Amino acid sequence: AQRVTQPEKLLSVFKGAPVELKCNYSYSGSPELFWYVQYSRQRLQLLLRHISRESIKGFTADLNKGETSFHLKKPFAQEEDSAMYYCALMGGRRALTFGSGTRLQVQP
Amino acid sequence: DVKVTQSSRYLVKRTGEKVFLECVQDMDHENMFWYRQDPGLGLRLIYFSYDVKMKEKGDIPEGYSVSREKKERFSLILESASTNQTSMYLCASSSGTATGELFFGEGSRLTVL
């Protein structure tokens, strides 16, 4: 079985503060991990994937197989980062398993 | 630019009614998915399809069925709607080689009274 856990329903930070959205997973094999984002009144969209090792909109995420984590980080939050963030895992089937999501609120 | 279109943005149905949710994608994607999105539960996979006339159960298929007669169209069917099926339904598609990159529709918000 594969499972994604996002322990925080809501994360509230001030503009300019660092952000870390937590994601832990359970999967016996070698997974692919993703972060998706949904801005207000917009479609859910891919933010980044671990295999790309890229920074998108200042966000990065490192896969830690030892801790089975894929936390999303940004050093300086912006108000436009306020959104719903979902961590997702691709395991043995051709479909993503999503976490329960974390709402990020960046206050001015 | 990939476009995934869900035919109905908002629906209100009564308990016991049959409900059809339609989804069309225009990028010749092999894979299509139906998720439901609920606060505190995130996205849960109902069904997916990786080819025409092929379907696989997701994590919560009970009370739902699907149809994929054409590559571009994937329909979700609630045979007899119940109040616990009130939710936001999201359709998505992906290409066969990039199965983790999903393109989502705007969603269909279904209320069952």
Side-chain angles (χ1 to χ4, degrees):
Chain A
Q2 52 196 52
R3 186 179 177 89
V4 177
T5 302
Q6 294 181 249
E8 303 143 326
K9 288 187 177 180
L10 173 66
L11 183 63
S12 184
V13 302
F14 287 102
K15 178 182 173 182
V19 171
E20 183 178 51
L21 300 169
K22 292 185 173 14
C23 172
N24 289 90
Y25 67 90
S26 64
Y27 179 62
S28 56
S30 188
E32 291 184 59
L33 275 297
F34 304 81
W35 277 99
Y36 276 76
V37 61
Q38 189 168 28
Y39 301 102
S40 179
R41 288 184 288 278
Q42 293 190 27
R43 301 174 189 228
L44 192 60
Q45 59 186 287
L46 177 66
L47 179 62
L48 55 77
R49 68 192 86 187
H50 88 270
I51 58 172
S52 300
R53 294 185 168 275
E54 57 197 346
S55 173
I56 303 292
K57 299 184 179 182
F59 285 98
T60 59
D62 291 319
L63 178 60
N64 185 325
K65 291 187 177 181
E67 296 183 356
T68 59
S69 68
F70 187 56
H71 303 327
L72 184 68
K73 300 177 184 179
K74 184 170 183 176
F76 307 104
Q78 302 299 314
E79 288 182 69
E80 55 265 30
D81 297 328
S82 295
M84 194 74 181
Y85 291 81
Y86 293 96
C87 183
L89 176 152
M90 176 76 75
R93 63 182 180 183
R94 293 168 67 166
L96 288 176
T97 297
F98 285 85
S100 55
T102 299
R103 181 167 298 283
L104 175 63
Q105 285 182 350
V106 181
Q107 300 183 53
Chain B
D1 201 21
V2 176
K3 193 72 179 295
V4 178
T5 304
Q6 295 182 231
S7 57
S8 304
R9 292 294 308 278
Y10 301 95
L11 302 94
V12 180
K13 298 292 182 181
R14 296 206 174 273
T15 300
E17 281 192 83
K18 191 169 186 176
V19 182
F20 291 88
L21 298 179
E22 305 285 340
C23 177
V24 177
Q25 51 93 6
D26 65 0
M27 282 301 289
D28 202 36
H29 281 172
E30 292 82 1
N31 310 305
M32 295 189 75
F33 310 85
W34 276 106
Y35 287 89
R36 62 178 283 178
Q37 183 182 32
D38 299 288
L41 297 176
L43 277 74
R44 292 178 292 166
L45 181 66
I46 305 171
Y47 268 96
F48 64 105
S49 168
Y50 53 86
D51 202 351
V52 175
K53 297 191 186 296
M54 302 298 288
K55 61 184 178 184
E56 287 202 25
K57 292 182 180 179
D59 299 317
I60 53 164
E62 297 77 19
Y64 303 94
S65 61
V66 291
S67 173
R68 191 156 181 212
E69 296 295 319
K70 293 185 177 182
K71 190 175 185 179
E72 68 271 18
R73 188 179 297 271
F74 192 36
S75 303
L76 180 69
I77 304 150
L78 287 68
E79 293 290 342
S80 178
S82 63
T83 55
N84 62 13
Q85 293 178 310
T86 291
S87 186
M88 173 69 85
Y89 290 88
L90 297 181
C91 176
S93 71
S94 71
S95 71
T97 56
T99 52
E101 183 175 7
L102 269 58
F103 294 86
F104 282 87
E106 292 183 293
S108 298
R109 183 166 293 283
L110 172 66
T111 301
V112 183
L113 302 176

